[in-house]
């Protein structure tokens, strides 16, 4: 049994040049990233460190990876529910030739708005083993309480 053959018009031929398709996709992605940068405010030239946010019954814990950053080069600001951490990771003096760099250096900026009300006066921050931990206590009215059933 013979199978029917579907013929394509000359305009429907698939591209034989894979690099041109890749270039088209790359330019579309760059266009999207450009529009995203216009929508999201950022600090020029700053990188964003990796972070975890954990919620416990009484506080939010924010942990940022800041390996190589001195604690006097870090600023933590609180404004309502918004926490901002900024600072600078300085380049260390090198003796040899730097063959590859994958770690970010320079200014950094991290900002998060927490979901509940916080006690701004009781925020604490500490640095240990290259991890900055910011403890943001919840406001008394937002803390969960267990009510015993009698």
């Amino acid at each position: 049994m013979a199978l029917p053959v579907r013929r394509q018009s000359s305009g429907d031929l698939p591209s034989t040049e894979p690099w041109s398709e890749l270039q088209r996709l790359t330019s579309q992605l760059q266009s999207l990233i450009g529009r995203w940068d216009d929508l999201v405010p950022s600090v020029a030239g700053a990188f964003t460190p990796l972070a975890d946010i954990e919620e416990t019954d009484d506080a939010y814990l924010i942990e940022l990876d800041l390996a190589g950053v001195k604690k006097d080069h870090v600023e933590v600001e609180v404004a309502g529910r918004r926490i901002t951490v900024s600072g600078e990771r300085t380049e260390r003096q090198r003796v040899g030739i730097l063959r590859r760099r994958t770690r970010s250096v320079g200014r950094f900026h991290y900002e998060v708005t927490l979901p509940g009300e916080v006690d701004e006066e009781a925020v604490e921050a500490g640095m240990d083993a290259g991890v900055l931990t910011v403890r943001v206590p919840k406001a008394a009215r937002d803390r969960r309480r267990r009510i015993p059933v009698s």
Side-chain angles (χ1 to χ4, degrees):
M1 174 175 159
L3 295 175
V5 176
R6 181 175 180 200
R7 298 189 187 259
Q8 297 177 338
S9 68
S10 62
D12 293 343
L13 289 176
S15 173
T16 58
E17 182 60 46
W19 296 113
S20 65
E21 181 67 15
L22 186 58
Q23 277 183 319
R24 185 183 65 79
L25 290 172
T26 301
S27 66
Q28 285 179 343
L29 182 60
Q30 287 174 339
S31 173
L32 288 172
I33 290 171
R35 281 188 261 157
W36 176 258
D37 286 342
D38 292 341
L39 295 173
V40 178
S42 63
V43 176
F47 70 92
T48 303
L50 299 175
D52 292 333
I53 301 174
E54 179 182 350
E55 181 178 359
T56 64
D57 287 341
D58 63 340
Y60 299 99
L61 299 174
I62 304 167
E63 295 178 333
L64 286 95
D65 287 341
L66 295 177
V69 177
K70 298 175 182 166
K71 61 182 167 183
D72 56 332
H73 291 171
V74 177
E75 295 178 11
V76 179
E77 297 177 3
V78 180
R81 299 180 312 152
R82 177 172 292 163
I83 309 298
T84 304
V85 179
S86 59
E88 185 172 8
R89 179 183 289 147
T90 56
E91 178 70 25
R92 70 175 181 83
Q93 187 67 32
R94 302 207 184 265
V95 177
I97 299 170
L98 181 63
R99 298 287 185 181
R100 179 182 296 178
R101 172 180 291 170
T102 57
R103 297 185 299 169
S104 300
V105 294
R107 301 277 315 151
F108 63 86
H109 183 86
Y110 178 82
E111 190 170 306
V112 64
T113 302
L114 298 171
E117 296 300 317
V118 300
D119 182 0
E120 293 181 52
E121 302 301 321
V123 174
E124 301 170 343
M127 180 96 75
D128 184 40
V131 176
L132 174 70
T133 302
V134 181
R135 185 177 185 284
V136 185
K138 293 180 180 179
R141 64 179 173 271
D142 281 358
R143 292 183 187 169
R144 287 189 230 154
R145 296 182 302 142
R146 285 189 181 234
I147 308 298
V149 178
S150 56

